[in-house]
Amino acid sequence: MLVVFAAMSSAVPNANDLVCRPSSKHYCDAGGCARETEGFQHAEVFYYHHEAKTLTACLWTNCYSDTVSVFISPDKTQKSLVGWLPPDHSPEMYPPMLITMTIDNDNHFTVSWQHQGNGVTLDHGICKAQ
């Protein structure tokens, strides 16, 4: 089956379903951030489904997926997706994870995850239409 997506409108960022792959990662805490550029790309991917407003984050040993709140910036150049995503498998081992993802009109993204009182993980990369 062939699926064709319409061109994105400049008024609404990323009107298509997207697959987002990180190219760099930062582990940040009160002492600063450590940058990583290799060795994690195979284990992390994010999927945004525009119509359903769902975000799926596959992070190493599990995927997390649910409906998210979507916020469009006042100038319509980016959108932010925010939600507590439950794990797809083994909820007794993996608690829900807060994920915040911002995507600009050029499909660059920053996502924060593994939020804790003492730090956070940040991924940066590019999204492509599915």
Side-chain angles (χ1 to χ4, degrees), residues 25-30 34 36 40 43-44 46 55 57-62 64 83-85 93-101 110-123:
K25 175 195 291 197
H26 293 81
Y27 298 102
C28 300
D29 62 20
E36 189 174 334
F40 64 92
E44 298 177 14
F46 303 88
L55 179 63
C58 292
L59 303 166
W60 293 89
T61 58
N62 209 341
Y64 302 80
W84 279 97
L85 309 183
M93 292 176 54
Y94 300 97
M97 188 176 298
L98 177 62
I99 308 265
T100 302
M101 182 175 201
T110 298
V111 61
S112 61
W113 57 281
Q114 206 167 26
H115 292 248
Q116 299 174 6
N118 62 351
V120 66
T121 300
L122 301 170
D123 284 353

Side-chain angles (χ1 to χ4, degrees), residues 51-127:
E51 285 282 321
K53 291 186 173 64
T54 59
L55 179 63
T56 298
C58 292
L59 303 166
W60 293 89
T61 58
N62 209 341
C63 293
Y64 302 80
S65 184
D66 207 350
T67 303
V68 291
S69 296
V70 179
F71 302 93
I72 305 293
S73 65
D75 63 0
K76 306 215 183 324
T77 60
Q78 59 188 4
K79 74 166 112 189
S80 293
L81 319 170
V82 180
W84 279 97
L85 309 183
D88 289 351
H89 305 288
S90 304
E92 66 283 354
M93 292 176 54
Y94 300 97
M97 188 176 298
L98 177 62
I99 308 265
T100 302
M101 182 175 201
T102 299
I103 307 167
D104 70 18
N105 283 346
D106 294 325
N107 285 339
H108 295 99
F109 78 89
T110 298
V111 61
S112 61
W113 57 281
Q114 206 167 26
H115 292 248
Q116 299 174 6
N118 62 351
V120 66
T121 300
L122 301 170
D123 284 353
H124 308 278
I126 300 282
C127 298

